[in-house]
């Protein structure tokens, strides 16, 4: 797979038909992987709406105090009160594990309008967070399918049915940080992009290590598209997805 898709690294965990078990399998290995690969003074971007990354943060042990790897939230996390704290806890947990500071992005992931987004982008604190995006050495992301996850939906950071229909018509198969991609890996631009608070797809591709943690049959096309588009160069996935990738054309 590394040779076929020109990946830097790939790790494969046991598949499970039980979604919770699969998430725990992915989270457990990702915790081990990060404990052995995070370096001193890394600047790590975290996508806050990935269930596999939540599992990772819960399962990790603290790195050495000298690591000092800061964590930057690369997608807005404000939403319903329950899930808002969920997003912040994820970023803070990773910062604690890496013995670094947490840099929060205090905004929703999706704004109601591009005007609202433009106003927020003028805020001096949010500008500082956006400036950090250019200095990230690692990005840790999940990969979404066109049917949005329960976590994202219940947080309020999701699109309505009409908007999802627009994405389907444009043949979107999934997203990375709410940036949409087609089956052949092309970034599909829509007006929805103007309402998203988070790292841009071009910024993401400039990060040296772009690690995706994702698996399950429902995400096969989105995972392959993410690799084809060059949005990720390291993949932690399950055996069924690995078989799908190796047998795909």
């Amino acid at each position: 797979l590394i040779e076929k898709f020109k990946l830097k690294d790939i790790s494969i965990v046991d598949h499970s038909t039980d979604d919770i078990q699969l998430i725990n399998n992915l989270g457990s290995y990702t915790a081990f992987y990060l404990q052995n690969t995070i370096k001193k003074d890394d600047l790590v971007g975290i996508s806050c709406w990935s269930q596999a990354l939540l599992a990772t943060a819960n399962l990790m042990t603290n790195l050495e105090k000298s690591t000092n790897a800061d964590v930057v939230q690369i997608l807005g996390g404000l939403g319903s009160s329950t899930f808002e704290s969920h997003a912040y806890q994820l970023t803070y947990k990773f910062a604690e594990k890496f013995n670094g500071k947490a840099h929060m992005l205090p905004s929703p992931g999706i704004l109601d309008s591009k005007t609202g987004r433009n106003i927020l982008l003028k805020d001096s604190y949010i500008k500082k967070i956006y400036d950090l995006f250019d200095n990230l050495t690692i990005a840790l992301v999940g990969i979404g399918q066109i049917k949005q996850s329960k976590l994202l939906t219940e947080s309020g950071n999701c699109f309505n049915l009409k908007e999802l229909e627009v994405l389907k018509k444009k043949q979107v198969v999934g997203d990375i940080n709410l940036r949409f991609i087609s089956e052949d890996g092309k970034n599909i631009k829509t007006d929805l992009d103007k309402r998203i608070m988070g790292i841009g797809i071009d910024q993401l591709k400039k990060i040296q290590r772009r690690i995706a943690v994702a698996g399950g049959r429902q995400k096969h096309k989105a995972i392959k598209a993410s690799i084809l588009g060059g949005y990720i160069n390291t993949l932690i996935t399950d055996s069924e997805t690995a078989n799908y990738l190796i047998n795909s054309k």
Side-chain angles (χ1 to χ4, degrees), residues 24-140:
N24 285 333
N25 290 352
L26 290 166
S28 178
Y29 185 82
T30 304
F32 168 80
Y33 182 88
L34 294 175
Q35 283 162 200
N36 287 279
T37 55
I38 294 291
K39 301 190 294 292
K40 179 177 168 60
D41 297 326
D42 268 332
L43 187 61
V44 185
I46 299 285
S47 176
C48 61
W49 296 114
S50 164
Q51 290 174 301
L53 291 182
L54 283 171
T56 300
N58 288 328
L59 292 164
M60 270 194 79
T61 56
N62 287 24
L63 302 182
E64 293 181 5
K65 288 186 178 180
S66 60
T67 307
N68 293 324
D70 283 4
V71 175
V72 182
Q73 186 180 338
I74 58 174
L75 181 65
L78 294 183
S80 74
S81 57
T82 301
F83 292 91
E84 179 180 318
S85 62
H86 206 73
Y88 282 129
Q89 282 177 21
L90 174 62
T91 308
Y92 276 114
K93 272 185 182 179
F94 271 114
E96 181 184 20
K97 305 293 184 183
F98 299 160
N99 288 293
K101 296 177 182 177
H103 302 273
M104 312 303 296
L105 180 58
S107 76
I110 305 168
L111 276 295
D112 288 335
S113 67
K114 64 179 181 180
T115 303
R117 179 178 181 271
N118 290 339
I119 291 170
L120 280 178
L121 288 174
K122 292 177 182 177
D123 179 84
S124 59
Y125 179 79
I126 287 178
K127 277 184 179 179
K128 288 179 182 178
I129 300 300
Y130 265 69
D131 287 343
L132 289 174
F133 294 167
D134 290 325
N135 298 318
L136 293 171
T137 57
I138 296 173
L140 263 178

Side-chain angles (χ1 to χ4, degrees), residues 214-217 220 223 235 237-246:
R217 186 174 300 176
H220 283 178
I223 291 170
L235 176 64
T237 193
D238 65 293
S239 56
E240 186 183 78
T241 302
N243 286 332
Y244 165 80
L245 292 172
I246 202 69

Side-chain angles (χ1 to χ4, degrees), residues 183-199:
E183 192 168 350
D184 58 0
K186 291 179 182 175
N187 175 217
I188 303 299
K189 303 284 188 183
T190 75
D191 288 340
L192 300 176
D193 288 312
K194 299 171 185 176
R195 293 164 42 200
I196 295 167
M197 288 295 293
I199 194 168

Side-chain angles (χ1 to χ4, degrees), residues 157-226:
N157 285 282
C158 60
F159 300 107
N160 60 41
L161 292 175
K162 185 177 179 181
E163 291 164 341
L164 289 174
E165 281 302 315
V166 170
L167 296 177
K168 286 178 183 177
K169 286 179 181 177
K170 289 182 175 286
Q171 298 182 317
V172 167
V173 295
D175 75 272
I176 296 183
N177 256 41
L178 296 180
R179 306 297 178 176
F180 305 107
I181 47 179
S182 62
E183 192 168 350
D184 58 0
K186 291 179 182 175
N187 175 217
I188 303 299
K189 303 284 188 183
T190 75
D191 288 340
L192 300 176
D193 288 312
K194 299 171 185 176
R195 293 164 42 200
I196 295 167
M197 288 295 293
I199 194 168
I201 204 79
D202 292 330
Q203 281 178 303
L204 179 66
K205 289 179 77 171
K206 291 176 183 176
I207 300 169
Q208 186 176 0
R209 290 172 60 200
R210 305 180 299 281
I211 305 168
V213 184
R217 186 174 300 176
Q218 71 278 12
K219 293 190 177 184
H220 283 178
K221 287 183 178 181
I223 291 170
K224 183 182 177 184
S226 300

